[in-house]
């Protein structure tokens, strides 16, 4: 079992493939397959996609590089990384933001992931009935209210615990090496199927043909938010995983490959969803119900609909489990490094906290639905605090810290492997972290609070 109490004995991903698979698995989640299609649908398809790619390049990659450098350079968790790089300051306190946010996100995220587990199994046994939209809506409501969501949330979190119990190499790495190739195979299978749908051309045109007149401030802000959240930035996930990178891992190349693969999942999801939506005369602006109500209705009308429905929710499950495992590792690494707890105890404590929060969030659709804070259920509150407050603040601090306070030589050494490889983008990287990223993240923050 890995001992993360001593950085000299810290677990390391066995291969470059494992490092990329793990980091892509961390960033690829419901945000790519669920959130991206309805954001693109609401914001005009191609116009949104164009802005999204620009935001990934200008915001996503620099912040990702900052987290990679901090994690690999210190071989520490999100709290310890700040503490090692600035031992006399208070920067390390920002590590608590990531740890708190990770628990909040796992709590509500696991509820939605639990829905995907039930949908997948129900579909596999032929019990998912979305032949009629109203019947499908009623079935979705019955699945997400009462005590049933608690059962599926617990099942999902137990699966999460089983992976984490294997540690970094036998748990996280093994899972990533198997599930990430499987995820891409399922995505490709769906894309091939989409090519034979009557609305394929219309869906592809909607996604890839930008109408520049639709590029408005709201579209740009939506793209900024999607780029930031879909890459799991601001939490410390990438910082924690980077602490398990080997010394031979090329950080710049890994960042580019991980970003490209993460973005490709979002694009592939669009290629799957929009042709299906146009084929059946539905609206691409269906919103969050797109995945759990609209798409099952479409699948039921396709040849082999039960198979496609099962595969789709299996796809969502894979995306969910790889994300929650990485978020759990934030607190586990902290408990091991800073509290000197064993891996086993750290995993048990982290899982217990997530389970408590998950149960509360699951019940907020049923028995606790009338319990609200500032008009929000527990589920909505956890989502709001983590996504709208913690993540932007965490990302803002990371950008400012690496851009202005981390020694340039530290960054240079991390991205050149102490001079072994050339890296010509240090100046653009630092410029982006100093000026563009803080402003962009501040805009995301103000927009998420409804101020702009």
């Amino acid at each position: 079992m890995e001992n993360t109490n001593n950085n000299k004995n810290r677990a390391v991903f066995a291969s470059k493939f494992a490092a990329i698979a793990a980091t892509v698995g961390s960033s690829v989640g419901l945000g790519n397959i669920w959130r991206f299609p309805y954001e693109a649908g609401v914001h005009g398809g191609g116009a949104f996609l164009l802005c999204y790619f620009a935001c990934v390049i200008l915001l996503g990659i620099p912040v990702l590089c900052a987290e990679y450098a901090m994690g690999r350079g210190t071989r520490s968790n999100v709290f310890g990384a700040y503490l090692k790089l600035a031992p006399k300051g208070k920067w390390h306190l920002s590590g608590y933001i990531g740890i708190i946010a990770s628990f909040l996100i796992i709590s509500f995220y696991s509820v939605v992931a639990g829905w995907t587990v039930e949908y997948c199994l129900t579909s596999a046994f032929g019990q998912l009935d979305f032949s009629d939209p109203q019947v499908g809506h009623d079935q979705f409501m019955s699945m997400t209210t009462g005590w049933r969501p608690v059962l599926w949330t617990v099942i999902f979190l137990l699966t999460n615990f089983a992976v984490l119990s294997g540690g970094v190499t036998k748990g996280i790495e093994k899972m990533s090496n198997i599930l990430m190739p499987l995820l891409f195979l399922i995505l490709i299978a769906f894309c091939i199927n989409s090519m034979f749908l009557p609305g394929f051309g219309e869906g592809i045109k909607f996604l890839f043909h930008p109408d520049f007149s639709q590029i408005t401030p709201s579209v740009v802000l939506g793209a900024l938010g999607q780029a930031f959240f879909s890459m799991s930035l601001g939490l410390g996930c990438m910082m924690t995983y980077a602490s398990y990178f080997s010394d031979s891992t090329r950080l710049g190349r890994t960042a580019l490959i991980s970003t490209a693969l993460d973005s490709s999942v979002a694009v592939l999801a669009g290629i799957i969803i929009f042709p299906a939506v146009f084929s059946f005369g539905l609206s691409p602006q269906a919103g969050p119900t797109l995945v759990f109500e609209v798409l099952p209705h479409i699948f039921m009308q396709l040849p082999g609909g039960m198979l496609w429905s099962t595969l789709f929710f299996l796809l969502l499950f894979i995306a969910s489990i790889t994300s929650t495992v990485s978020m759990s590792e934030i607190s586990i690494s902290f408990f091991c490094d800073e509290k000197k707890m064993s891996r086993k105890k750290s995993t048990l404590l982290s899982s217990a906290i997530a389970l408590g929060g998950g149960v509360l969030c699951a019940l907020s659709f049923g028995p606790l639905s009338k319990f609200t804070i500032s008009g929000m259920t527990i589920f909505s509150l956890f989502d709001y605090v983590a996504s709208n407050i913690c993540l932007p603040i965490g990302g803002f601090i990371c950008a400012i810290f690496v851009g202005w306070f981390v020694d340039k030589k530290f960054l240079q050494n991390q991205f050149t492997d102490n001079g072994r490889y050339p890296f010509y983008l240090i100046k653009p990287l630092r410029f982006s972290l100093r000026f563009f990223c803080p402003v962009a993240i501040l805009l995301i923050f103000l927009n998420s609070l409804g101020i702009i």
Side-chain angles (χ1 to χ4, degrees), residues 73-409:
T74 62
R75 297 284 181 201
S76 191
N77 61 85
V78 64
F79 180 94
Y82 282 104
L83 190 60
K84 287 184 177 181
L85 291 171
K88 295 182 180 180
K90 299 294 182 182
W91 292 96
H92 60 279
L93 296 178
S94 65
Y96 288 124
I97 297 174
I99 295 166
I100 292 170
S102 69
F103 282 125
L104 294 176
I105 293 174
I106 294 170
S107 296
F108 71 80
Y109 200 95
S110 297
V111 176
V112 180
W115 297 346
T116 70
V117 176
E118 182 173 11
Y119 265 59
C120 184
L121 294 175
T122 304
S123 179
F125 287 103
Q127 298 174 352
L128 196 64
D129 183 11
F130 277 82
S131 55
D132 179 82
Q134 185 57 48
V135 173
H137 174 73
D138 293 340
Q139 188 167 1
F140 173 70
M141 294 304 296
S142 69
M143 285 182 173
T144 56
T145 55
W147 290 87
R148 281 172 66 181
V150 174
L151 171 64
W152 295 108
T153 300
V154 171
I155 290 173
F156 178 81
L157 285 171
L158 286 175
T159 307
N160 195 64
F161 173 77
V163 174
L164 292 165
S165 296
V168 174
T169 53
K170 294 182 180 179
I172 297 172
E173 183 176 329
K174 188 175 182 180
M175 173 204 70
S176 302
N177 288 345
I178 295 172
L179 293 188
M180 291 316 297
L182 178 59
L183 181 141
F184 276 94
L185 285 174
I186 296 175
L187 280 170
I188 292 170
F190 269 101
C191 287
I192 293 172
N193 180 67
S194 291
M195 293 173 64
F196 296 96
L197 295 175
F200 179 75
E202 191 177 358
I204 293 300
K205 182 180 179 181
F206 176 80
L207 182 60
F208 291 107
H209 183 72
D211 179 356
F212 292 100
S213 66
Q214 294 190 26
I215 300 179
T216 62
S218 64
V219 171
V220 174
L221 285 171
L224 273 172
Q226 177 64 28
F228 187 79
F229 297 122
S230 69
M231 294 179 68
S232 298
L233 303 175
L235 269 175
C237 285
M238 297 307 182
M239 202 180 299
T240 303
Y241 269 13
S243 72
Y244 304 133
F245 285 177
S246 68
D247 291 334
S248 62
T249 301
R250 300 279 295 275
L251 295 189
R253 180 181 295 178
T254 302
L256 288 175
I257 294 173
S258 298
T259 301
L261 290 174
D262 176 70
S263 298
S264 69
V265 171
V267 173
L268 290 173
I271 293 173
I272 292 167
I273 290 171
F274 291 124
V277 167
F278 282 108
S279 294
F280 292 91
L282 300 172
S283 171
Q285 301 181 18
T289 62
L290 187 67
V291 166
F292 290 102
E293 293 190 36
V294 176
L295 287 181
H297 173 64
I298 292 173
F299 291 140
M300 290 300 136
Q301 300 179 63
L302 296 175
M306 186 176 75
L307 173 62
W308 290 114
S309 178
T310 303
L311 282 176
F312 182 76
F313 288 108
L314 175 62
L315 176 71
L316 289 182
F317 167 76
I318 293 172
S320 301
I321 193 70
T322 55
S323 294
T324 53
V325 163
S326 68
M327 284 185 277
S328 300
E329 192 64 21
I330 296 172
S331 58
I332 292 172
S333 181
F334 169 77
F335 292 143
C336 288
D337 292 348
E338 309 303 326
K339 304 303 178 183
K340 309 305 179 186
M341 296 173 64
S342 68
R343 174 85 194 187
K344 182 177 180 180
K345 289 182 179 178
S346 298
T347 304
L348 282 170
L349 177 58
S350 177
S351 299
I353 296 172
L355 180 61
V359 169
L360 289 175
C361 287
L363 291 175
S364 68
F365 290 92
L368 295 180
S369 60
K370 293 183 179 179
F371 178 80
T372 60
I373 300 174
S374 298
M376 292 182 282
T377 63
I378 297 172
F379 182 101
S380 300
L381 180 66
F382 281 18
D383 184 5
Y384 181 84
V385 172
S387 302
N388 294 21
I389 299 175
C390 292
L391 263 66
I393 291 176
F396 182 85
I397 292 173
C398 180
I400 292 292
F401 180 71
V402 176
W404 290 97
F405 295 94
V406 169
D407 190 348
K408 181 181 177 180
K409 291 183 179 179

